[in-house]
Amino acid sequence: PALNQLNAINKSFLKSKGEIIFLLDSDDYFLKNKIEIIINLFKKNEDLNFLQDNPIYFYPNKNMKIRRKLKKKYFTLHTWPYFNPTSTMVFRRHFLKKLLKNISFSNNSFERMFFDARAFIYIYFFEKNYLLINDHLTLYTQNLKGDTLRYYNEKNSNW
């Protein structure tokens, strides 16, 4: 599934034409004003290459929605940086092109690593022009049996 996601993002990028690229998983959705808010932030800051909002975690089995905000990590040599899921990610076109090229080396070694982890690890260490906004603009469906949570401990030790 992780490589299928990465391949789908690559193929979609090649077909896209816009300057600002939003990602959205099939079981998530944007709140009504997300696109307008994000486009305005990119217009105001021409150096901005990447932006994330905070998701509203939706647990369909419990019909529960939870708003969480990421805390900033100051020391990450011993652990992964915090990041939000794929559907909260927005890229300036030239940066996403560069990122896709630079993370493709890891396909064989890290085939279970999903795009959001690959992308944000790269962004955290190599990109200075990114922003995490406090707004909750994405509803993220939390699948407790999905790959991300099901294999979390295994991924942490192997990656």
Side-chain angles (χ1 to χ4, degrees):
L3 287 180
N4 287 340
Q5 181 194 38
L6 183 57
N7 290 335
I9 290 169
N10 270 308
K11 287 179 182 179
S12 299
F13 175 76
L14 292 173
K15 290 187 179 270
S16 71
K17 295 181 177 130
E19 171 61 22
I20 307 301
I21 309 291
F22 290 78
L23 301 181
L24 182 64
D25 290 339
S26 63
D27 58 348
D28 303 336
Y29 68 86
F30 296 158
L31 299 187
K32 187 166 85 173
N33 57 349
K34 176 176 178 166
I35 293 173
E36 179 182 358
I37 291 169
I38 301 297
I39 294 295
N40 285 334
L41 287 169
F42 274 98
K43 283 180 179 177
K44 287 178 186 173
N45 186 349
E46 291 185 14
D47 293 332
L48 183 63
N49 286 324
F50 172 77
L51 186 145
Q52 271 192 305
D53 65 285
N54 284 299
I56 301 167
Y57 289 88
F58 173 55
Y59 296 85
N61 294 341
K62 299 177 183 179
N63 197 25
M64 181 173 60
K65 295 178 182 173
I66 299 174
R67 292 173 184 256
R68 292 188 190 127
K69 291 186 179 180
L70 289 180
K71 296 176 185 173
K72 185 164 180 143
K73 268 193 182 179
Y74 294 99
F75 181 70
T76 61
L77 294 178
H78 68 291
T79 188
W80 298 115
Y82 296 134
F83 58 91
N84 283 329
T86 305
S87 294
T88 65
M89 295 181 154
V90 185
F91 300 85
R92 197 168 297 273
R93 179 177 202 78
H94 70 86
F95 177 71
L96 181 55
K97 181 178 182 178
K98 176 177 136 183
L99 182 136
L100 288 169
K101 179 182 175 194
N102 287 332
I103 66 172
S104 65
F105 77 92
S106 63
N107 289 353
N108 294 332
S109 301
F110 303 107
E111 63 186 28
R112 283 192 173 171
M113 184 183 281
F114 279 85
F115 174 80
D116 52 4
R118 293 172 193 239
F120 198 77
I121 290 165
Y122 177 87
I123 290 163
Y124 186 82
F125 289 106
F126 301 110
E127 176 58 36
K128 302 295 180 226
N129 296 317
Y130 72 89
L131 180 65
L132 171 65
I133 62 172
N134 285 325
D135 298 340
H136 291 84
L137 303 173
T138 305
L139 189 107
Y140 174 72
T141 303
Q142 185 67 61
N143 182 353
L144 297 176
K145 295 183 180 181
D147 257 6
T148 302
L149 292 178
R150 186 171 39 176
Y151 298 115
Y152 181 78
N153 289 331
E154 177 186 331
K155 287 177 181 175
N156 254 1
S157 63
N158 290 338
W159 292 347

